[in-house]
Amino acid sequence: MMSEIDALKVQLESLQSEALAAFAAAENPAALQQLRVHYLGKKGALTEVLKGVGRLPPEARPVIGQYVNDTKAVLAGALERGEAELAVRAKAIRIQAERIDITLPGRKAAAGGLHPVQQGLDEMTEIFSQMGFAIAEGPEIEDEFHNFDALNIPPEHPARAMHDTFFIKDMLNEAGTEPMLLRTHTSPVQIRAMKRFLSESGEPPLAVVAPGRVYRCDYDVTHSPMFHQVEVFKVDRNVSMAHLKGVLRHFLSAYFEKDVGIRLRPHYFPFTEPSAEVDISCVFCASKGCRICKGSGWIEVLGSGMIHPNVLRAVGIDSSEFSGFAFGLGVERLVMLKQGIPDLRLFFENDVRFLRKMGGTR
Amino acid sequence: MKIPFSWLKAYVPLTSTPEQIAADLVRLGHEVEGVELPRAGVKGVRVGLILSKRPHPDADKLSLLQLDIGEAEPLAIVCGASNMGEGDKVPVATIGTSLPNGLKIKKGKIRGETSCGMCCSETELGLAEDASGLLILPADAPVGMEVGEFLALEEAVFDLSITPNRGDCMNARGLARDLAADAGLPFTDVVQADVVTSADVVAPVVAVAAGEDCPVYLARRIDGVKVTDSPAWMQAALLMAGMRPVNGIVDVLNYLMLTMGQPMHAFDADCLAGDVSVRTANDGEPFAALDGRNLSLRAGDLVVSDANGVLALAGIMGSLPSGVTDQTVNIMLESAFFRPARISETRRSYAMVSEASMRFERGVDPLMVAVAMNQATAMICDLYGGVAGAVTACGDAAAVNAGVEVHCRISRIESRLGITIPPATDEVLARMGFGISRQDDQLHVVVPPFRHDISIPEDLSEEYARVIGFDAIPAILPPLAATMPVQKSRFIHDAVAGGFLQVVSYAFISADEQRLFVADDGMDIALANPISDAMSVMRRSAWPGLLNVARHNLNRQQPGVALVEQGRTYARSDRGHDENSVLAWLVTGEMEQDEWYGTARSADFFDLKGAVEAWLSVRGLSGRFVADDAIQGLQAGQSAKILVGRSEVGRIGRVDADIAARFDIDAPVFVAEMALDLLPAAKPAKFAPLPEFPGVERDLVFLFERGCSSDAILDAVRSAAGKLLTEARIFDLYDGKGVPDGKVSLGIRFVLQDGSRTLTQEDSDAASTAIIAAMQKRFDAPLR
């Protein structure tokens, strides 16, 4: 009897090693499935062995039954592992087949961008707006009153010659006395904003930032007949030059995103008294002296001053009670300094290669 | 204006370096545009004696020189000039010298011959703009001496830009006074020159009829002068100050104007007829100006005249015939004070500018009128002989701009500047000529007559500020009230987000370009003084500007461009003029290029229409595009008005091919323009509940006559499908094989959805049937 059990055992063992070898050799899940049927199916090899168990004496059956079950468990486990292995291998093959060249360029999205002058205008007005200055605009075709007279530049004043003014052909002011012109600076917005503000609110304080296009009849390497300015002014009781300096330093540091030193130099503008040209410490060489600052460590950036009492008077503000500061900055100039643009003409040439390089989509 | 350092030192014993003086000038409000250092600029250039000269063996135009420059061994130099000979003394730039033109002298070989330096011309020394040949030095020049020293070159020349309010500083004397006061150094003013006069020379008879415009007028004859060139030192000094020598008399007057500030004029006395009169011109009076122009004067112009007519536009320019020449024997000198506003107005009206008018219109020192006259007389008699007569003097110089006083509280100035003013600054201002007294907070200032720019307390605040120094003012942020945050204009930002590059072009275009898109209705705004014809008319459309930008870029190998501009357009109106805000687009050329994932595609109408639709949709608006064949400059059949609600807010279309060709563009160009002022305000999106039940999507394909508008077709679909319809669109358009000529196959996809239930087959069948019927009825379009 023992020999029959032994024979079955041997048979089972050889079946198991044969099956395991076959499983290991299977190359795909289908082959494995076939092997499962062949060994473990209803008519499979193991079932065949089980048939032989009936011939054994009853006391031997559980022993062999145990053997058969063990073998079955081994084979089922091996099949499961084999399937998992094959799945992993199949996935690896698929992944290999699906490899792409990720260094190919991405699909191009249409790349737009803001003109660098626009970016500058946006940044500047935003800084002043955050500081509490209200935004105002004015007409570009102006009359002499707003562009000159109200700003304390009477007709015979030599300063009018410093503004190379474009005049409009056959168009007179409301009074029909003087030709209209293209504003030479954003300062007329001072007058218009103050007048409007006073009619609405009665009296200062007021703090205004006025961005816009201005025109000078001057066209060469460093001059464009059209450019952009931002006018900033504040009128209140006890406004002092120290406040002017404070606002300038805050603005310039915010715009250049670094702590810039500022230097005021006495100058002359008809609409301010005192007047000052404003220099910033050279942002290129940290004031060591370079080509941009011509070795001085300073770069002139804008004109400023305390609003002349005649200007306040022109809009009906009592200059013995109120004072104010004002300054006007050239947008192109500051953008050139900040972004290292060497030539003013690049702004108006609108070469898309330049615009793409400088363009920000904010 | 250029002022040599030595001229300042004549008035004040300055010991600082030129750099320090420049910094002081800047601090005092006098802009220094540059500092030239003529002497330092030629350091290393020495006087050399030519010992021998022989031709270069290998070059016809070169000579080999042996020069003695005071060293043990003579120098060998190869020289290209030809105007020198043995025994001449010339400037020799030695090895290591840097010349003003940037040339660095190195030892070298020229065609095989060693050259140990360079002989210099005046140009190379920075003394003249052009020169032919070497500068030959006088025979007494000490060999080996620094040439800069021998020629007594200026240590420094300040190039200044004097602000218009400081006429008193348009000369060395005024600047020196500011510097002396600031540094606390003594100021040595010009002393009145002694002039010997002769009773034999008649005093001119002068009548000043325009006393308000000419409060002081001095005239004197000097007879028997021999006009030669001015002495070399004066010519050199004038050149150094940037003025060309003219003749002996004019040079003296220019020299005194630059040093003392008073412009004077000399007439050829033999050209004068009868008495001299200072009066206003008669309307139409002729005047032959020194600059060659023949003017017809206007009543109100201030002139100096004689019995025959106008001798000078007072303070601006003399007449050509009455000017001093080499032949002049007798002269009449004029020194005067003219009212600044008068000079400025006249000068501007004739677009004239002269060194004299620049000073008169800013205001000269009335007390220098007589001093300068005497100084000029003394110099002229000294240099060119001649006998001076008595001065005819009209008006009282001491009364001009005299007694201007300013009273105010010191605290008011302090509050304007944001600093306290130390009493010591009063002394600086006193040295500048102000009469200052203080009592507690009260300030009392007498303004000197040469300061025409000071009349109110604010003017004084500037004087205090520049004396104390702007650096002393602290930087303090003022209290600022929070303002309403201003909604930033998103117009341009949304447009560039759609893939367009923003451009900024000039607001003025050519009249021809204006006519391309706008009819000549007389509403153009033209410039009276344009820079060029190409920039002469204020634009009424942004399209010409965009076309120019497109041309610029297509000429630079860009396969295509997508541009957008925000700006104003300008036109005359009932109110005078309008400035309208517009947003304008342009696309042309390749929208997409050949790529590994696809092939190139050229821009068409629908690229731009899509961009405009997207831009409108961001603001919660939708536009209707209504075909319009009559838009100037656009191609019929590819152009449309854009309506939002009932108002026309824009235009879109293909630029006429002939117009595009004018801008050298062959490819189709599409443009659009949106009037931003007419656009309704952006609508904030309103919430609607999301559908809970799925929608049903169906496709139907019909055969339409070519020419049917898809807007009309979709409108008909919408009304036929009923209220369950949530979307209807053209998903396919085909007119190729299988579609009869004159027909087009359109695929319409529609979606039905109900918020309260899942739709059934019956629902979509009903809608389909209704749509099919509608297409048949409206368009005679069968299902395909």
Side-chain angles (χ1 to χ4, degrees):
Chain A
M1 193 188 85
M2 275 315 286
S3 68
E4 254 191 78
I5 292 173
D6 287 344
L8 265 173
K9 257 171 91 178
V10 168
Q11 200 184 341
L12 275 172
E13 271 164 16
S14 98
L15 184 73
Q16 177 174 324
S17 51
E18 178 200 313
L20 286 178
F23 292 170
E27 279 183 350
N28 53 55
L32 211 57
Q33 186 54 33
Q34 258 181 342
L35 290 171
R36 177 190 288 276
V37 175
H38 178 74
Y39 289 104
L40 298 178
K42 276 183 191 158
K43 295 173 184 169
L46 209 57
T47 317
E48 286 300 313
V49 176
L50 271 175
K51 282 181 185 161
V53 175
R55 293 195 298 274
L56 294 178
E59 66 277 13
R61 285 178 195 167
V63 180
I64 285 299
Q66 185 61 43
Y67 278 137
V68 171
N69 280 338
D70 285 353
T71 306
K72 202 174 183 177
V74 166
L75 292 187
L79 268 172
E80 208 166 289
R81 279 194 305 280
E83 275 165 359
E85 241 169 64
L86 274 179
V88 167
R89 209 186 312 157
K91 188 175 176 188
I93 288 164
R94 181 173 54 79
I95 285 171
Q96 188 59 37
E98 286 175 8
R99 273 191 174 280
I100 56 167
D101 174 8
I102 55 86
T103 64
L104 275 173
R107 284 199 175 75
K108 283 208 180 79
L114 290 174
H115 193 281
V117 167
Q118 181 77 43
Q119 297 171 52
L121 276 168
D122 286 353
E123 285 172 40
M124 291 172 205
T125 41
E126 209 166 303
I127 294 169
F128 287 115
S129 184
Q130 281 169 355
M131 287 175 80
F133 290 84
I135 298 175
E137 285 189 351
E140 293 170 18
I141 298 177
E142 261 292 5
D143 54 32
E144 298 215 6
F145 174 78
H146 288 94
N147 198 70
F148 290 125
D149 302 62
L151 290 162
N152 198 35
I153 319 176
E156 71 284 357
H157 201 286
R160 281 211 183 181
M162 301 185 343
H163 294 239
D164 300 294
T165 311
F166 282 115
F167 289 96
I168 305 294
K169 203 174 184 176
D170 305 326
M171 186 188 282
L172 299 177
N173 61 353
E174 262 177 58
T177 50
E178 291 164 336
M180 297 290 281
L181 46 81
L182 290 182
R183 66 177 177 194
T184 57
H185 46 187
T186 39
S187 304
V189 185
Q190 268 187 49
I191 305 299
R192 291 185 178 275
M194 282 197 275
K195 282 203 288 195
R196 189 169 59 234
F197 183 85
L198 290 179
S199 69
E200 284 164 6
S201 315
E203 68 168 36
L206 80 166
V208 171
V209 55
R213 284 182 186 177
V214 300
Y215 302 86
R216 302 268 175 107
C217 188
D218 201 353
Y219 194 21
D220 59 37
V221 179
T222 55
H223 295 92
S224 166
M226 181 185 92
F227 55 103
H228 297 76
Q229 281 189 343
V230 172
E231 184 84 5
V232 181
F233 65 96
K234 173 178 168 60
V235 179
D236 198 354
R237 290 184 173 81
N238 298 318
V239 173
S240 79
M241 234 169 147
H243 295 141
L244 166 65
K245 268 180 110 165
V247 168
L248 283 170
R249 196 167 74 183
H250 179 90
F251 163 73
L252 290 165
S253 295
Y255 178 70
F256 286 104
E257 296 168 34
K258 58 171 90 161
D259 198 10
V260 296
I262 65 166
R263 178 177 81 167
L264 270 58
R265 283 180 289 112
H267 196 71
Y268 171 75
F269 305 110
F271 32 90
T272 45
E273 188 77 66
S275 304
E277 288 268 29
V278 180
D279 300 338
I280 56 167
S281 51
C282 183
V283 287
F284 293 98
C285 62
S287 300
K288 288 190 188 79
C290 66
R291 190 179 55 79
I292 308 282
C293 63
K294 295 183 191 128
S296 70
W298 295 98
I299 300 175
E300 184 182 319
V301 288
L302 58 92
S304 69
M306 299 297 293
I307 299 174
H308 196 286
N310 288 354
V311 176
L312 296 179
R313 204 167 297 137
V315 295
I317 294 177
D318 181 357
S319 68
S320 67
E321 196 179 348
F322 296 101
S323 55
F325 64 73
F327 56 92
L329 48 89
V331 176
E332 283 83 356
R333 169 133 183 90
L334 288 191
V335 173
M336 285 168 82
L337 288 175
K338 182 171 177 175
Q339 303 201 248
I341 297 167
D343 190 338
L344 178 68
R345 290 171 298 189
L346 286 166
F347 289 120
F348 303 103
E349 210 171 68
N350 292 300
D351 194 302
V352 295
R353 293 166 296 185
F354 168 74
L355 296 177
R356 282 196 196 107
K357 196 132 204 155
M358 309 310 301
T361 20
R362 300 199 319 144
Chain B
M1 183 185 69
K2 287 184 172 180
I3 297 287
F5 198 5
S6 65
W7 294 11
L8 298 173
K9 286 179 172 172
Y11 291 96
V12 49
L14 297 167
T15 51
S16 319
T17 61
E19 291 75 20
Q20 186 54 50
I21 297 294
D24 291 343
L25 286 167
V26 167
R27 189 171 40 80
L28 289 168
H30 306 300
E31 192 179 334
V32 178
E33 292 185 337
V35 182
E36 293 164 20
L37 302 168
R39 199 188 306 167
V42 297
K43 195 165 162 32
V45 183
R46 293 157 67 176
V47 177
L49 170 69
I50 300 177
L51 300 173
S52 70
K53 174 186 173 186
R54 58 191 173 85
H56 190 291
D58 266 348
D60 293 347
K61 291 188 174 162
L62 298 179
S63 309
L64 304 181
L65 304 181
Q66 288 283 324
L67 290 129
D68 177 7
I69 61 158
E71 304 283 334
E73 291 292 317
L75 278 188
I77 288 178
V78 180
C79 182
S82 57
N83 66 325
M84 68 293 180
E86 277 174 24
D88 277 344
K89 287 181 178 168
V90 294
V92 178
T94 53
I95 305 292
T97 302
S98 290
L99 292 174
N101 62 8
L103 190 66
K104 226 183 167 124
I105 306 300
K106 285 180 274 191
K107 185 172 176 170
K109 276 200 167 169
I110 301 172
R111 296 241 179 157
E113 295 288 335
T114 305
S115 189
C116 303
M118 187 176 104
C119 300
C120 302
S121 70
E122 279 168 285
T123 315
E124 284 147 353
L125 297 180
L127 302 177
E129 284 185 3
D130 49 4
S132 54
L134 300 183
L135 170 63
I136 308 293
L137 298 167
D140 62 356
V143 170
M145 190 180 191
E146 283 283 335
V147 164
E149 221 168 291
F150 173 71
L151 293 175
L153 293 188
E154 273 292 338
E155 181 186 354
V157 177
F158 300 100
D159 190 356
L160 293 145
S161 173
I162 302 295
T163 53
N165 59 327
R166 293 303 301 274
D168 64 304
C169 284
M170 290 196 75
N171 56 78
R173 175 176 173 262
L175 287 166
R177 180 172 45 213
D178 253 24
L179 286 169
D182 176 59
L185 292 168
F187 175 69
T188 314
D189 208 346
V190 206
V191 283
Q192 181 82 268
D194 285 329
V195 172
V196 185
T197 58
S198 161
D200 297 341
V201 180
V202 292
V205 179
V206 180
V208 176
E212 197 193 321
D213 282 344
C214 176
V216 184
Y217 193 91
L218 270 53
R220 148 187 281 161
R221 279 183 67 122
I222 305 175
D223 286 0
V225 295
K226 182 173 174 6
V227 182
T228 60
D229 285 349
S230 57
W233 69 264
M234 187 180 283
Q235 292 197 26
L238 285 172
L239 281 170
M240 203 58 86
M243 281 193 111
R244 283 187 182 281
V246 179
N247 64 42
I249 304 290
V250 173
D251 289 359
V252 165
L253 301 185
N254 280 339
Y255 177 72
L256 292 176
M257 175 179 71
L258 290 171
T259 52
M260 297 168 62
Q262 174 66 32
M264 288 175 278
H265 190 69
F267 298 96
D268 186 330
D270 296 325
C271 295
L272 306 189
D275 298 348
V276 172
S277 161
V278 185
R279 58 172 171 86
T280 53
N282 303 316
D283 219 2
E285 204 168 353
F287 173 57
L290 199 56
D291 64 3
R293 289 161 68 189
N294 285 305
L295 303 178
S296 170
L297 303 181
R298 292 168 315 181
D301 294 339
L302 186 67
V303 298
V304 180
S305 73
D306 65 1
N308 289 341
V310 177
L311 300 172
L313 257 184
I316 301 171
M317 199 170 281
S319 77
L320 194 55
S322 70
V324 171
T325 67
D326 294 351
Q327 278 75 49
T328 301
V329 179
N330 302 316
I331 63 173
M332 186 186 86
L333 265 187
E334 163 204 284
S335 185
F337 184 97
F338 299 113
R339 189 167 65 89
R342 160 61 51 221
I343 301 300
S344 176
E345 196 185 320
T346 306
R347 179 194 76 67
R348 271 175 9 115
S349 69
Y350 298 111
M352 267 182 173
V353 66
S354 65
E355 292 285 335
S357 71
M358 277 168 61
R359 287 166 174 83
F360 280 125
E361 73 177 311
R362 287 160 172 78
V364 298
D365 183 349
L367 298 179
M368 287 304 283
V369 174
V371 177
M373 166 69 94
N374 272 348
Q375 196 77 18
T377 309
M379 280 184 105
I380 288 169
C381 293
D382 184 38
L383 290 170
Y384 316 114
V387 184
V391 169
T392 302
C394 305
D396 178 12
V400 177
N401 204 34
V404 176
E405 295 183 13
V406 183
H407 308 268
C408 69
R409 284 176 291 115
I410 278 280
S411 55
R412 185 168 163 198
I413 293 179
E414 289 180 332
S415 123
R416 190 173 184 81
L417 299 180
I419 43 170
T420 53
I421 295 174
T425 48
D426 288 359
E427 291 159 30
V428 182
L429 287 177
R431 289 199 292 270
M432 288 178 175
F434 292 88
I436 300 203
S437 56
R438 276 208 211 200
Q439 197 163 31
D440 301 325
D441 195 23
Q442 286 300 317
L443 182 68
H444 180 96
V445 175
V446 181
V447 180
F450 54 82
R451 291 301 299 270
H452 302 277
D453 59 323
I454 291 176
S455 57
I456 55 172
E458 286 78 8
D459 297 331
L460 279 182
S461 71
E462 177 162 79
E463 289 305 298
Y464 275 106
R466 71 187 186 99
V467 163
I468 295 167
F470 281 14
D471 286 349
I473 298 171
I476 298 168
L477 273 181
L480 281 157
T483 49
M484 281 280 284
V486 176
Q487 194 100 45
K488 197 164 61 179
S489 152
R490 299 291 313 175
F491 292 136
I492 190 67
H493 297 75
D494 294 335
V496 302
F500 288 74
L501 278 172
Q502 183 190 8
V503 304
V504 175
S505 52
Y506 289 129
F508 17 65
I509 59 177
S510 76
D512 289 351
E513 287 171 347
Q514 185 89 299
R515 289 289 79 81
L516 298 176
F517 299 106
V518 183
D520 189 4
D521 53 5
M523 301 305 250
D524 278 5
I525 297 175
L527 297 181
N529 54 334
I531 280 179
S532 67
D533 286 346
M535 297 192 271
S536 59
V537 182
M538 301 304 287
R539 67 179 178 197
R540 292 171 68 183
S541 165
W543 292 342
L546 286 172
L547 281 163
N548 275 314
V549 174
R551 160 165 53 194
H552 172 95
N553 285 291
L554 295 178
N555 281 348
R556 281 158 187 77
Q557 290 153 357
Q558 294 298 315
V561 288
L563 309 171
V564 66
E565 172 161 20
Q566 183 181 358
R568 297 184 189 181
T569 57
Y570 314 78
R572 290 173 191 272
S573 73
D574 304 341
R575 288 187 297 277
H577 82 277
D578 283 338
E579 297 179 23
N580 300 312
S581 278
V582 298
L583 193 66
W585 291 260
L586 179 149
V587 289
T588 186
E590 291 183 8
M591 285 294 280
E592 285 156 27
Q593 297 172 49
D594 279 327
E595 293 286 354
W596 59 269
Y597 53 79
T599 52
R601 190 177 67 79
S602 288
D604 65 20
F605 182 90
F606 301 99
D607 284 308
L608 190 51
K609 182 179 178 185
V612 172
E613 284 173 330
W615 183 86
L616 283 167
S617 112
V618 173
R619 11 199 57 71
L621 303 173
S622 67
R624 272 200 308 134
F625 292 71
V626 179
D628 184 345
D629 285 356
I631 299 175
Q632 186 179 337
L634 301 188
Q635 178 174 325
Q638 293 202 27
S639 56
K641 298 189 281 231
I642 306 170
L643 278 66
V644 169
R646 294 207 170 152
S647 49
E648 183 182 335
V649 295
R651 298 173 302 165
I652 183 171
R654 175 170 171 180
V655 174
D656 177 89
D658 295 336
I659 293 177
R662 267 184 66 119
F663 293 89
D664 309 322
I665 307 175
D666 303 330
V669 184
F670 300 90
V671 290
E673 194 165 68
M674 193 66 78
L676 299 177
D677 303 320
L678 301 179
L679 211 61
K683 286 187 203 152
K686 282 262 163 48
F687 176 77
L690 300 177
E692 279 176 56
F693 298 93
V696 181
E697 190 180 281
R698 289 283 285 270
D699 292 348
L700 297 171
V701 179
F702 299 94
L703 211 52
F704 287 94
E705 292 291 332
R706 183 179 280 285
C708 283
S709 141
S710 56
D711 258 359
I713 293 168
L714 290 176
D715 277 348
V717 167
R718 283 186 201 104
S719 56
K723 61 182 180 12
L724 293 179
L725 185 93
T726 55
E727 191 193 332
R729 62 189 177 88
I730 309 286
F731 75 91
D732 182 50
L733 186 153
Y734 179 71
D735 59 1
K737 209 174 161 198
V739 174
D741 271 357
K743 303 269 182 184
V744 60
S745 156
L746 280 187
I748 295 167
R749 176 166 298 167
F750 65 95
V751 180
L752 304 175
Q753 200 159 31
D754 191 324
S756 57
R757 64 191 175 97
T758 301
L759 295 181
T760 61
Q761 179 80 30
E762 286 77 53
D763 291 317
S764 58
D765 285 351
S768 294
T769 310
I771 291 170
I772 291 164
M775 294 303 107
Q776 189 67 53
K777 189 169 168 224
R778 247 328 274 287
F779 303 101
D780 198 15
L783 200 59
R784 192 167 167 241

